[in-house]
C-alpha cells in the first residue's frame, strides 16, 4: 500500500515552549499530512486530553493521525491508524479493533521487518538509520544498506533516526518509502518552514540529476 505522506511527523511536547497542538497546527500548515501522536510518558487521562487536542488539529486540516501504542486511545480519538512496538498478536488485535485503519510497526532489524510483514502490518519504521539522541536504546545506527534489505520484504519502509534535509536523498535512493522526523520538526523555531524544506528535499531526491 502507499503511505498517506512521505513525511511522518512524530510528536514531542518537550520539543518547544509552545503547546503541542500549536506545533502540530504549524506542521499541518507547512504541508505535513501525517502525524504520529507519541508522547507516551503521560498518565492515561492526560495523554487522552492532549491527544484530543492534537486530533482536533489533524481533523480540521484533513490530515492523517496515527496513535502510538494504545489501541483503545486510537479508537477513542477516531485516529486513522496506530503504530505498534511489534508482535503478531498486537497487529491482529489492532486490526480487529480498527478495521481498515493504517497499522505500522517499529522495526530495528530485518527480522523485525519480516515479522511485521507476516503479521499483516501496513508499513514499518526502521530505526535508527543514523546516530540520533532520540533513539539511544536501540544499538548502533543501521545505515542505508538496512533500508535496501528491508525494502525487499515488500512493506513500505519509513526511515527513522537522524533524518534531515541532508540525509533524505540517500534514504530515498536506498529504497525508503518515507521518513519520520521528531526533533527536526518539533524543536524547530518555525515548524511549517521546516516541514516545507523536508518535503522539498524529498521531492528533489526523486528528480533526475
Amino acid at each position: 500500500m502507499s503511505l498517506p505522506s512521505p513525511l511522518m511527523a512524530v510528536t514531542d511536547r518537550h520539543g518547544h515552549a509552545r503547546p503541542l497542538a500549536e506545533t502540530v497546527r504549524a506542521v499541518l500548515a507547512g504541508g505535513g499530512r501525517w502525524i504520529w501522536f507519541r508522547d507516551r510518558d503521560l498518565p492515561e487521562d492526560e495523554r487522552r486530553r492532549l491527544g484530543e487536542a492534537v486530533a482536533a488539529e489533524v481533523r480540521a486540516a484533513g490530515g492523517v493521525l496515527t496513535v502510538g501504542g494504545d489501541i483503545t486511545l486510537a479508537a477513542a480519538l477516531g485516529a486513522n491508524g496506530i503504530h505498534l512496538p511489534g508482535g503478531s498478536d498486537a497487529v491482529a488485535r489492532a486490526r480487529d479493533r480498527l478495521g481498515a485503519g493504517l497499522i505500522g510497526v517499529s522495526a530495528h532489524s530485518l527480522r523485525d521487518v519480516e515479522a511485521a510483514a507476516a503479521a499483516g502490518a501496513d508499513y514499518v519504521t526502521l530505526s535508527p538509520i543514523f546516530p540520533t539522541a532520540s533513539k539511544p536504546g536501540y544499538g548502533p545506527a543501521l545505515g542505508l544498506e538496512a533500508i535496501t534489505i528491508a525494502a525487499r520484504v515488500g512493506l513500505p519502509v519509513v526511515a527513522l533516526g537522524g533524518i534531515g534535509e541532508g540525509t533524505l536523498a540517500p534514504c530515498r535512493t536506498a529504497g525508503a518509502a518515507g521518513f519520520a522526523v521528531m526533533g527536526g520538526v518539533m524543536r524547530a523555531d518555525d515548524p511549517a518552514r521546516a516541514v516545507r524544506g523536508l518535503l522539498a528535499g524529498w521531492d528533489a531526491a526523486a528528480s533526475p540529476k
Side-chain angles (χ1 to χ4, degrees):
M1 67 171 296
S2 60
L3 299 175
S5 168
L7 167 60
M8 174 191 258
V10 187
T11 67
D12 176 13
R13 72 186 188 285
H14 302 296
H16 203 280
R18 69 168 65 90
L20 180 60
E22 289 185 17
T23 301
V24 168
R25 188 186 311 151
V27 169
L28 293 160
R33 312 313 301 159
W34 189 11
I35 306 295
W36 172 3
F37 175 57
R38 199 166 177 266
D39 289 87
R40 299 175 302 190
D41 58 330
L42 285 169
E44 183 177 340
D45 59 339
E46 292 183 33
R47 191 180 187 216
R48 175 158 180 167
R49 285 196 296 272
L50 183 59
E52 287 171 346
V54 169
E57 296 292 344
V58 177
R59 193 175 301 115
V64 173
L65 177 66
T66 286
V67 170
D70 189 329
I71 299 171
T72 299
L73 179 59
L77 295 179
N80 305 93
I82 188 164
H83 193 87
L84 301 166
S88 58
D89 290 345
V91 172
R93 289 197 306 274
R95 189 68 72 194
D96 286 344
R97 186 73 181 273
L98 302 176
L102 187 68
I103 298 178
V105 171
S106 293
H108 309 289
S109 67
L110 175 61
R111 180 176 296 179
D112 289 345
V113 177
E114 291 172 336
D122 297 310
Y123 70 92
V124 293
T125 55
L126 184 63
S127 68
I129 301 303
F130 303 107
T132 172
S134 65
K135 285 283 184 181
Y138 295 105
L142 298 175
L144 294 167
E145 186 179 4
I147 297 175
T148 302
I149 294 171
R152 293 176 186 148
V153 174
L155 280 183
V157 174
V158 177
L160 172 61
I163 309 299
E165 289 188 41
T167 56
L168 291 173
C171 284
R172 189 162 193 179
T173 299
F179 61 101
V181 178
M182 183 167 66
V185 169
M186 294 292 140
R187 299 190 188 103
D189 290 333
D190 187 341
R193 181 177 180 181
V195 166
R196 285 193 292 268
L198 288 165
L199 290 171
W202 181 261
D203 289 343
S207 300
K209 300 296 188 290

